[in-house]
Amino acid sequence: MNTASAPTPADTPRPMPGRPEKLRLGDVLVQQRLISQEQLQQTLELQRSTGKKVGRLLIETGVITEELLANGLARQLRIPFVNLKSFPFRAEVVKLLPEAAARRFKALVLEDRGDTVLVAMGDPLDLFAYDELARILKRAIAIAAVPESQLTPAFDRLYRRTEEIAGLTRALEKDMGEAVDFGELSASVGAEGAPVVRLLQSLFEDATQVGASDVHIEPMEGGLQIRVRVDGVLQVQTQADKRIGAALAQRLKLMAGLDISEKRLPQDGRFSVRVKEMTVDVRMSTMPTVYGESVVMRLLNQGAAMKRLDQIGMPAPMLKRFREIIHRTTGMVLVTGPTGSGKTTTLYAALAEVDANEHKVITVEDPVEYRLPGITQVQVNDKIELTFAKVLRACLRQDPDVILVGEMRDTETAEIGLRAAITGHMVLSTVHTRNAAGTPFRLLDMGIPPFMVATSLQAVIAQRLVRLNCTECAAPYTPATQEQGWLLSLIGEEAATAIAPKRGMGCSACNGTGFSGRQGVYELLEMDSELTQAAARGDPAAFMRVAGIRMKGHTMEHHALELVRMGRTTIAEAMRIGMDTDEFEE
């Protein structure tokens, strides 16, 4: 059945509010011919042994989908069926029902009609939930049917803690008064009920709920601004009196074990917090500004499943070659890109391909971002002079087969890593360059002898992250003149006219941004004899000319263009990749 043609509140006569009839779900589905009588009997027998609801068992056993079940109920009860992914929610209407009640009764308020409200329910036949919702809302209720699996993501998306955070900031402002007594504040912030503690808890819960990678606490001339970074873009969370910035910074410093009396110098630290049964590692950086200390926190969810190489979006031919390279017994493979471009994800996905039972694998990181079973992981600590170079030297005495170095941060580390690659180890690491072809010369600029670069470096992968179109609201559009010009310059008029680009129009599923999630775009430069000779001679012009020939049509820009052709991202996103990297000469 095509659920796209199912009725919605906009095109269906509004149902009269009233308590639903007491119906048996199984009988309704049989009557609608969505299941057979035999399937119902089998499910009822299974229910007697498991105690689960009939609807849940029918879905778990694959007899029916949630969409078909909700559609069948909607027709039987003469109520609308609603797709929550594209429904235009209004925050003030949703908040008519408290979050605790919404989650408990699996319900969302969709429309406020004055005397009545339209409520989406995962189980429209739940009379107890209906009565409780009517009592809480103090209104007559009209019901809409929705697939139950759409409710939890909608709760997480709609019940954000923006108002709660704003309220807590106001409470903290009142507590602080006109003058800040840091001694009293230091003694009180540890109390469980202190507004600063509740504010930080709400900040972390909201950030993890929306999948934020960073939290920024920024004192400004006119107040304090708190922002979160979602899919690479900063969003304002709340604004408050700048006086509370000092309280937040002080509490966070205590959590990270930093010097709370030092406000003139930058400090770095880390700590872990428990958020909704998840452990989140927080990397924290403070920096003094003219209006107070700026705090930025990078959030790393330890419970997140690590991606495999075939899940990161690398093109199939490149993936095949990359796998062959990382299974070699010697050499160095570098992953390059700016901060936050997914380099660590790629390296860990590569490590997951290595059989840790047969190989000794050691990682040297700052910090250790993911814990891997069967692998020796070391975290550097500059405070005790446990540097990348010192740990890397020690690693070579531990009989490793594969070494992962978090970053080629200095000449000493790079030289030790390259020597390890020459002497029979596979070394994986990262470096900051604009593209793959410029990486060997970044090593030369660091003072590494050309022969070491030429003989050790096996391959370089460069990558960026592009935002993906929201699948719920993506639609074809006509490219702007600048976008059309970019397509023409890259692939010519004939190929450009064959592309039908899409972009997200903005909906409730993507918070009006038109984007949902990100994916890597990649380019791979594999060293061959001609490239090796050019690198050994230290001849940038010859190297770039040959690299341009090798990578023609296979750069990050072309990978991004392929995503445009598939409708997965916009031309503007692909153009951003092109502008961010140097182009090869023809």
Side-chain angles (χ1 to χ4, degrees):
M1 182 178 296
N2 184 3
T3 58
S5 61
T8 64
D11 56 21
T12 301
R14 293 182 175 179
M16 291 298 292
R19 200 168 187 265
E21 305 174 48
K22 185 171 180 58
L23 299 171
R24 295 202 308 176
L25 176 62
D27 293 338
V28 170
L29 297 177
V30 171
Q31 185 178 342
Q32 293 280 332
R33 296 184 179 179
L34 295 174
I35 65 172
S36 67
Q37 188 67 44
E38 182 183 358
Q39 288 172 323
L40 174 59
Q41 291 304 318
Q42 291 172 349
T43 305
L44 290 173
E45 291 176 10
L46 189 59
Q47 182 193 35
R48 284 190 284 271
S49 61
T50 63
K52 294 183 179 181
K53 290 186 176 181
V54 169
R56 178 51 47 196
L57 288 172
L58 287 168
I59 293 167
E60 288 179 356
T61 54
V63 174
I64 194 172
T65 65
E66 280 191 313
E67 287 76 10
L68 285 175
L69 190 151
N71 262 305
L73 284 174
R75 285 195 302 274
Q76 182 70 24
L77 299 174
R78 293 185 175 85
I79 61 176
F81 168 84
V82 176
N83 182 351
L84 295 183
K85 293 180 180 179
S86 56
F87 188 83
F89 290 100
R90 292 169 54 201
E92 67 274 14
V93 172
V94 171
K95 298 296 176 61
L96 291 174
L97 184 64
E99 181 181 2
R103 291 184 183 272
R104 179 184 176 189
F105 300 116
K106 295 183 173 60
L108 272 175
V109 180
L110 302 179
E111 294 180 4
D112 183 354
R113 300 171 176 173
D115 294 336
T116 66
V117 288
L118 178 65
V119 178
M121 294 183 66
D123 183 1
L125 298 178
D126 189 338
L127 300 182
F128 173 76
Y130 177 91
D131 292 339
E132 286 297 300
L133 291 169
R135 181 184 63 80
I136 294 169
L137 292 167
K138 297 181 175 58
R139 309 264 197 101
I141 293 177
I143 299 174
V146 297
E148 190 174 319
S149 64
Q150 291 185 7
L151 284 167
T152 298
F155 293 147
D156 292 342
R157 191 169 67 245
L158 297 167
Y159 284 101
R160 292 196 58 183
R161 288 164 170 74
T162 305
E163 293 178 11
E164 178 185 339
I165 290 169
L168 288 168
T169 57
R170 288 192 293 270
L172 185 55
E173 290 165 15
K174 291 178 182 177
D175 276 10
M176 297 197 58
E178 292 299 319
V180 178
D181 183 339
F182 288 105
E184 290 181 7
L185 182 62
S186 178
S188 65
V189 290
E192 187 62 28
V196 67
V197 176
R198 297 202 306 273
L199 173 57
L200 286 173
Q201 181 180 1
S202 295
L203 276 174
F204 284 122
E205 287 181 355
D206 184 73
T208 55
Q209 189 167 290
V210 297
S213 60
D214 303 85
V215 177
H216 293 237
I217 302 175
E218 304 161 317
M220 304 291 179
E221 182 179 9
L224 182 76
Q225 179 174 256
I226 301 176
R227 299 190 290 175
V228 295
R229 189 180 295 278
V230 180
D231 288 342
V233 178
L234 283 168
Q235 302 174 359
V236 175
Q237 172 56 270
T238 191
Q239 293 181 326
D241 191 311
K242 67 180 179 183
R243 293 173 299 171
I244 73 171
L248 292 174
Q250 186 168 7
R251 178 58 182 170
L252 289 166
K253 283 182 176 180
L254 287 169
M255 295 169 68
L258 302 179
D259 184 354
I260 62 173
S261 65
E262 181 56 77
K263 303 177 182 64
R264 301 165 302 169
L265 297 173
Q267 296 188 68
D268 295 314
R270 57 180 62 91
F271 57 91
S272 296
V273 291
R274 291 285 294 172
V275 181
K276 290 187 174 181
E277 307 303 320
M278 297 185 300
T279 299
V280 179
D281 284 348
V282 182
R283 294 163 56 183
M284 171 179 156
S285 170
T286 70
M287 184 175 66
T289 73
V290 292
Y291 299 114
E293 284 187 285
S294 172
V295 179
V296 175
M297 294 175 286
R298 169 66 56 87
L299 309 182
L300 302 167
N301 181 6
Q302 286 295 334
M306 206 173 58
K307 291 187 176 181
R308 303 191 310 269
L309 272 180
D310 57 3
Q311 295 176 320
I312 63 175
M314 193 176 288
M318 185 185 299
L319 176 61
K320 182 175 182 294
R321 289 299 306 144
F322 186 49
R323 278 179 163 152
E324 292 173 359
I325 293 167
I326 62 175
H327 282 99
R328 294 173 184 171
T329 58
T330 184
M332 176 178 283
V333 176
L334 292 176
V335 180
T336 182
T339 300
S341 60
K343 299 187 298 295
T344 301
T345 298
T346 300
L347 286 178
Y348 272 97
L351 276 191
E353 301 268 323
V354 178
D355 188 341
N357 293 320
E358 295 184 0
H359 298 86
K360 173 78 169 183
V361 182
I362 301 178
T363 74
V364 188
E365 305 168 74
D366 183 22
V368 175
E369 296 194 10
Y370 299 97
R371 272 59 168 182
L372 297 176
I375 288 178
T376 303
Q377 296 179 273
V378 183
Q379 183 162 304
V380 303
N381 187 343
D382 291 331
K383 293 179 181 178
I384 59 172
E385 298 184 358
L386 187 66
T387 62
F388 274 109
K390 183 174 288 188
V391 177
L392 193 49
R393 283 197 189 94
C395 284
L396 296 178
R397 296 191 288 270
Q398 292 278 312
D399 187 29
D401 297 297
V402 180
I403 304 171
L404 185 151
V405 184
E407 182 183 346
M408 290 297 167
R409 191 173 290 180
D410 52 60
T411 302
E412 187 180 12
T413 304
E415 188 165 338
I416 297 170
L418 286 163
R419 288 191 185 280
I422 292 175
T423 56
H425 308 86
M426 173 53 69
V427 180
L428 308 176
S429 189
T430 70
V431 69
H432 291 282
T433 56
R434 290 174 66 85
N435 55 33
T439 301
F441 294 95
R442 170 73 181 114
L443 297 175
L444 295 178
D445 288 341
M446 293 171 70
I448 306 299
F451 81 90
M452 290 186 65
V453 176
T455 55
S456 301
L457 190 60
Q458 297 286 322
V460 181
I461 281 191
Q463 65 182 81
R464 297 289 188 279
L465 292 177
V466 295
R467 292 183 293 170
L468 299 177
N469 287 329
C470 172
T471 56
E472 300 302 322
C473 63
Y477 76 103
T478 302
T481 303
Q482 185 181 8
E483 294 176 333
Q484 290 175 333
W486 179 79
L487 284 174
L488 289 172
S489 67
L490 192 65
I491 56 177
E493 184 175 357
E494 185 177 349
T497 54
I499 293 179
K502 290 184 178 181
R503 70 178 174 199
M505 299 294 111
C507 66
S508 62
C510 59
N511 290 319
T513 64
F515 295 99
S516 179
R518 291 187 293 174
Q519 179 184 315
V521 292
Y522 305 88
E523 63 185 25
L524 170 65
L525 178 63
E526 187 176 356
M527 298 293 286
D528 58 22
S529 59
E530 197 171 356
L531 287 169
T532 299
Q533 290 171 12
R537 293 194 306 269
D539 186 347
F543 187 92
M544 295 299 284
R545 184 177 62 255
V546 177
I549 296 170
R550 299 287 186 274
M551 301 184 66
K552 187 175 179 63
H554 301 286
T555 64
M556 286 183 283
E557 198 173 17
H558 287 89
H559 187 189
L561 176 63
E562 185 59 28
L563 295 179
V564 170
R565 187 177 280 111
M566 296 164 62
R568 300 195 63 193
T569 194
T570 64
I571 296 176
E573 280 289 292
M575 287 176 65
R576 180 176 59 81
I577 299 299
M579 289 185 287
D580 192 36
T581 57
D582 293 328
E583 294 183 359
F584 290 113
E585 295 180 3
E586 294 294 335

mmCIF file of all heavy atoms in Angstrom, residues 27-46:
data_model
loop_
_atom_site.group_PDB
_atom_site.id
_atom_site.type_symbol
_atom_site.label_atom_id
_atom_site.label_comp_id
_atom_site.label_asym_id
_atom_site.label_seq_id
_atom_site.Cartn_x
_atom_site.Cartn_y
_atom_site.Cartn_z
ATOM 1 N N ASP A 27 -8.791 -7.842 15.212
ATOM 2 C CA ASP A 27 -10.029 -7.899 14.432
ATOM 3 C C ASP A 27 -10.070 -6.779 13.394
ATOM 4 O O ASP A 27 -10.532 -6.980 12.264
ATOM 5 C CB ASP A 27 -11.234 -7.782 15.369
ATOM 6 C CG ASP A 27 -11.364 -8.992 16.289
ATOM 7 O OD1 ASP A 27 -10.814 -10.059 15.933
ATOM 8 O OD2 ASP A 27 -11.992 -8.858 17.352
ATOM 9 N N VAL A 28 -9.560 -5.594 13.786
ATOM 10 C CA VAL A 28 -9.541 -4.464 12.856
ATOM 11 C C VAL A 28 -8.664 -4.794 11.649
ATOM 12 O O VAL A 28 -9.038 -4.568 10.494
ATOM 13 C CB VAL A 28 -9.014 -3.199 13.563
ATOM 14 C CG1 VAL A 28 -8.748 -2.092 12.543
ATOM 15 C CG2 VAL A 28 -10.018 -2.723 14.603
ATOM 16 N N LEU A 29 -7.480 -5.349 11.905
ATOM 17 C CA LEU A 29 -6.546 -5.634 10.819
ATOM 18 C C LEU A 29 -7.064 -6.750 9.908
ATOM 19 O O LEU A 29 -6.835 -6.728 8.697
ATOM 20 C CB LEU A 29 -5.181 -6.004 11.395
ATOM 21 C CG LEU A 29 -4.492 -4.889 12.202
ATOM 22 C CD1 LEU A 29 -3.177 -5.398 12.794
ATOM 23 C CD2 LEU A 29 -4.220 -3.676 11.317
ATOM 24 N N VAL A 30 -7.746 -7.737 10.495
ATOM 25 C CA VAL A 30 -8.350 -8.797 9.675
ATOM 26 C C VAL A 30 -9.452 -8.203 8.811
ATOM 27 O O VAL A 30 -9.573 -8.508 7.614
ATOM 28 C CB VAL A 30 -8.884 -9.930 10.569
ATOM 29 C CG1 VAL A 30 -9.715 -10.910 9.722
ATOM 30 C CG2 VAL A 30 -7.739 -10.676 11.237
ATOM 31 N N GLN A 31 -10.270 -7.337 9.415
ATOM 32 C CA GLN A 31 -11.361 -6.717 8.672
ATOM 33 C C GLN A 31 -10.841 -5.861 7.528
ATOM 34 O O GLN A 31 -11.440 -5.804 6.452
ATOM 35 C CB GLN A 31 -12.199 -5.865 9.632
ATOM 36 C CG GLN A 31 -13.441 -5.253 8.993
ATOM 37 C CD GLN A 31 -14.271 -4.469 9.994
ATOM 38 O OE1 GLN A 31 -14.119 -4.630 11.197
ATOM 39 N NE2 GLN A 31 -15.134 -3.604 9.501
ATOM 40 N N GLN A 32 -9.696 -5.202 7.751
ATOM 41 C CA GLN A 32 -9.080 -4.375 6.706
ATOM 42 C C GLN A 32 -8.304 -5.226 5.695
ATOM 43 O O GLN A 32 -7.736 -4.699 4.755
ATOM 44 C CB GLN A 32 -8.111 -3.376 7.352
ATOM 45 C CG GLN A 32 -8.770 -2.312 8.210
ATOM 46 C CD GLN A 32 -9.357 -1.193 7.387
ATOM 47 O OE1 GLN A 32 -8.891 -0.909 6.293
ATOM 48 N NE2 GLN A 32 -10.401 -0.559 7.899
ATOM 49 N N ARG A 33 -8.250 -6.524 5.914
ATOM 50 C CA ARG A 33 -7.526 -7.465 5.053
ATOM 51 C C ARG A 33 -6.025 -7.174 4.994
ATOM 52 O O ARG A 33 -5.368 -7.422 3.982
ATOM 53 C CB ARG A 33 -8.121 -7.459 3.637
ATOM 54 C CG ARG A 33 -9.549 -7.959 3.605
ATOM 55 C CD ARG A 33 -10.070 -8.025 2.187
ATOM 56 N NE ARG A 33 -11.440 -8.524 2.161
ATOM 57 C CZ ARG A 33 -12.167 -8.663 1.061
ATOM 58 N NH1 ARG A 33 -11.630 -8.352 -0.125
ATOM 59 N NH2 ARG A 33 -13.401 -9.111 1.115
ATOM 60 N N LEU A 34 -5.502 -6.647 6.102
ATOM 61 C CA LEU A 34 -4.072 -6.396 6.191
ATOM 62 C C LEU A 34 -3.335 -7.622 6.721
ATOM 63 O O LEU A 34 -2.137 -7.779 6.485
ATOM 64 C CB LEU A 34 -3.803 -5.186 7.096
ATOM 65 C CG LEU A 34 -4.334 -3.853 6.551
ATOM 66 C CD1 LEU A 34 -4.149 -2.745 7.573
ATOM 67 C CD2 LEU A 34 -3.625 -3.487 5.250
ATOM 68 N N ILE A 35 -4.042 -8.471 7.475
ATOM 69 C CA ILE A 35 -3.512 -9.759 7.915
ATOM 70 C C ILE A 35 -4.612 -10.797 7.769
ATOM 71 O O ILE A 35 -5.793 -10.455 7.671
ATOM 72 C CB ILE A 35 -3.006 -9.721 9.381
ATOM 73 C CG1 ILE A 35 -4.164 -9.472 10.334
ATOM 74 C CG2 ILE A 35 -1.920 -8.671 9.558
ATOM 75 C CD1 ILE A 35 -3.772 -9.604 11.812
ATOM 76 N N SER A 36 -4.199 -12.055 7.782
ATOM 77 C CA SER A 36 -5.188 -13.126 7.683
ATOM 78 C C SER A 36 -5.603 -13.594 9.076
ATOM 79 O O SER A 36 -4.923 -13.308 10.074
ATOM 80 C CB SER A 36 -4.606 -14.299 6.891
ATOM 81 O OG SER A 36 -3.545 -14.898 7.619
ATOM 82 N N GLN A 37 -6.694 -14.329 9.127
ATOM 83 C CA GLN A 37 -7.159 -14.868 10.406
ATOM 84 C C GLN A 37 -6.120 -15.838 10.979
ATOM 85 O O GLN A 37 -5.888 -15.884 12.197
ATOM 86 C CB GLN A 37 -8.497 -15.605 10.209
ATOM 87 C CG GLN A 37 -9.160 -16.044 11.510
ATOM 88 C CD GLN A 37 -9.625 -14.869 12.349
ATOM 89 O OE1 GLN A 37 -10.216 -13.924 11.827
ATOM 90 N NE2 GLN A 37 -9.350 -14.902 13.646
ATOM 91 N N GLU A 38 -5.461 -16.586 10.101
ATOM 92 C CA GLU A 38 -4.422 -17.529 10.546
ATOM 93 C C GLU A 38 -3.244 -16.789 11.172
ATOM 94 O O GLU A 38 -2.717 -17.187 12.210
ATOM 95 C CB GLU A 38 -3.952 -18.369 9.359
ATOM 96 C CG GLU A 38 -2.898 -19.411 9.731
ATOM 97 C CD GLU A 38 -2.402 -20.189 8.525
ATOM 98 O OE1 GLU A 38 -2.901 -19.943 7.403
ATOM 99 O OE2 GLU A 38 -1.504 -21.031 8.714
ATOM 100 N N GLN A 39 -2.839 -15.673 10.530
ATOM 101 C CA GLN A 39 -1.735 -14.875 11.088
ATOM 102 C C GLN A 39 -2.114 -14.293 12.445
ATOM 103 O O GLN A 39 -1.288 -14.221 13.361
ATOM 104 C CB GLN A 39 -1.358 -13.759 10.118
ATOM 105 C CG GLN A 39 -0.639 -14.239 8.870
ATOM 106 C CD GLN A 39 -0.456 -13.138 7.851
ATOM 107 O OE1 GLN A 39 -1.331 -12.279 7.670
ATOM 108 N NE2 GLN A 39 0.680 -13.148 7.151
ATOM 109 N N LEU A 40 -3.374 -13.886 12.590
ATOM 110 C CA LEU A 40 -3.836 -13.357 13.878
ATOM 111 C C LEU A 40 -3.775 -14.429 14.957
ATOM 112 O O LEU A 40 -3.309 -14.169 16.081
ATOM 113 C CB LEU A 40 -5.256 -12.810 13.738
ATOM 114 C CG LEU A 40 -5.918 -12.347 15.038
ATOM 115 C CD1 LEU A 40 -5.093 -11.235 15.702
ATOM 116 C CD2 LEU A 40 -7.350 -11.873 14.776
ATOM 117 N N GLN A 41 -4.229 -15.635 14.641
ATOM 118 C CA GLN A 41 -4.213 -16.705 15.632
ATOM 119 C C GLN A 41 -2.795 -17.048 16.058
ATOM 120 O O GLN A 41 -2.519 -17.270 17.249
ATOM 121 C CB GLN A 41 -4.914 -17.956 15.061
ATOM 122 C CG GLN A 41 -6.425 -17.786 14.871
ATOM 123 C CD GLN A 41 -7.133 -17.379 16.162
ATOM 124 O OE1 GLN A 41 -6.832 -17.893 17.241
ATOM 125 N NE2 GLN A 41 -8.073 -16.440 16.044
ATOM 126 N N GLN A 42 -1.877 -17.103 15.099
ATOM 127 C CA GLN A 42 -0.475 -17.384 15.435
ATOM 128 C C GLN A 42 0.106 -16.294 16.341
ATOM 129 O O GLN A 42 0.845 -16.591 17.290
ATOM 130 C CB GLN A 42 0.354 -17.487 14.141
ATOM 131 C CG GLN A 42 0.027 -18.706 13.298
ATOM 132 C CD GLN A 42 0.728 -18.671 11.944
ATOM 133 O OE1 GLN A 42 1.298 -17.655 11.542
ATOM 134 N NE2 GLN A 42 0.683 -19.794 11.227
ATOM 135 N N THR A 43 -0.284 -15.055 16.052
ATOM 136 C CA THR A 43 0.216 -13.946 16.862
ATOM 137 C C THR A 43 -0.373 -13.987 18.267
ATOM 138 O O THR A 43 0.316 -13.697 19.256
ATOM 139 C CB THR A 43 -0.120 -12.610 16.185
ATOM 140 O OG1 THR A 43 0.403 -12.608 14.856
ATOM 141 C CG2 THR A 43 0.482 -11.439 16.957
ATOM 142 N N LEU A 44 -1.664 -14.351 18.387
ATOM 143 C CA LEU A 44 -2.291 -14.440 19.703
ATOM 144 C C LEU A 44 -1.642 -15.532 20.544
ATOM 145 O O LEU A 44 -1.471 -15.378 21.770
ATOM 146 C CB LEU A 44 -3.788 -14.695 19.552
ATOM 147 C CG LEU A 44 -4.617 -13.515 18.990
ATOM 148 C CD1 LEU A 44 -6.047 -13.949 18.717
ATOM 149 C CD2 LEU A 44 -4.586 -12.335 19.948
ATOM 150 N N GLU A 45 -1.278 -16.637 19.904
ATOM 151 C CA GLU A 45 -0.570 -17.703 20.639
ATOM 152 C C GLU A 45 0.794 -17.212 21.117
ATOM 153 O O GLU A 45 1.227 -17.509 22.239
ATOM 154 C CB GLU A 45 -0.403 -18.925 19.735
ATOM 155 C CG GLU A 45 -1.701 -19.646 19.424
ATOM 156 C CD GLU A 45 -1.502 -20.791 18.440
ATOM 157 O OE1 GLU A 45 -0.320 -21.126 18.160
ATOM 158 O OE2 GLU A 45 -2.500 -21.340 17.957
ATOM 159 N N LEU A 46 1.474 -16.442 20.254
ATOM 160 C CA LEU A 46 2.769 -15.888 20.626
ATOM 161 C C LEU A 46 2.620 -14.872 21.757
ATOM 162 O O LEU A 46 3.472 -14.780 22.644
ATOM 163 C CB LEU A 46 3.411 -15.226 19.394
ATOM 164 C CG LEU A 46 4.869 -14.756 19.523
ATOM 165 C CD1 LEU A 46 5.791 -15.916 19.873
ATOM 166 C CD2 LEU A 46 5.330 -14.100 18.218
#
